[in-house]
């Protein structure tokens, strides 16, 4: 990771231990802002991805800042996510994101408070992305 970290425009951060059980592989977290909106740089080692999950009271904006990754919204094909690309995920939408098999990947994660009307709060962490489904991505 040292070479990747040296090239990163944001600090890679510390091992993402608090959420490690929801990730396949190692990830790192550097919190950049906690007032008004939560902003963090999340870095994934090659092959690392998070489980399917749903944010109930916040929209999530992902901005690719380094390497090559993937994002998938339930019912849609996985899409590449690269530096400079932006994905907005509305509250209540099941999705996952992470690195490509052969590349480190970092994105800014911006949480925008918003009520999805479900009465639920927080994030529901769901099943892991299967190795079979992930393995089909180029």
């Amino acid at each position: 990771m040292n070479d990747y970290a040296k090239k990163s425009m944001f600090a890679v951060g510390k091992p993402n231990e608090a959420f490690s059980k929801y990730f396949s592989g190692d990830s790192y977290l550097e919190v950049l802002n906690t007032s008004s909106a939560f902003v963090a740089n999340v870095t994934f080692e090659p092959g690392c991805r998070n489980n399917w999950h749903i944010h109930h009271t916040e929209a999530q904006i992902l901005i690719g800042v380094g390497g090559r990754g993937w994002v998938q919204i339930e019912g849609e094909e996985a899409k590449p996510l690269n530096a400079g690309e932006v994905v907005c995920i509305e509250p209540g939408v099941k999705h996952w994101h992470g690195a490509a098999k052969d590349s480190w990947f970092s994105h800014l994660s911006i949480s925008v408070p918003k009520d999805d009307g479900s009465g639920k709060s927080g994030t529901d962490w769901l099943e892991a992305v299967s190795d079979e489904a992930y393995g089909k991505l180029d």
Side-chain angles (χ1 to χ4, degrees), residues 13-81:
K14 296 178 182 172
N16 192 2
E17 294 172 359
F19 294 95
S20 64
K21 65 183 175 183
Y22 306 117
F23 284 71
S24 299
D26 291 331
S27 66
Y28 303 84
L29 181 68
E30 178 69 18
V31 175
L32 304 173
N33 184 69
T34 58
S35 64
S36 300
F38 180 83
V39 181
N41 183 44
V42 183
T43 299
F44 302 79
E45 71 176 356
C48 177
R49 67 260 185 204
N50 54 31
N51 289 6
W52 287 96
H53 58 285
I54 300 170
H55 302 285
H56 291 287
T57 56
E58 57 195 30
Q60 185 177 42
I61 301 170
L62 304 175
I63 303 172
V65 294
R68 193 167 67 89
W70 291 99
V71 60
Q72 185 174 11
I73 292 172
E74 184 179 43
E76 298 180 10
E77 295 292 320
K79 296 176 184 170
L81 184 55

Side-chain angles (χ1 to χ4, degrees), residues 1-23:
M1 175 181 56
N2 280 343
D3 288 339
Y4 181 81
K6 289 177 188 174
K7 297 175 190 175
S8 181
M9 68 174 65
F10 295 99
V12 170
K14 296 178 182 172
N16 192 2
E17 294 172 359
F19 294 95
S20 64
K21 65 183 175 183
Y22 306 117
F23 284 71

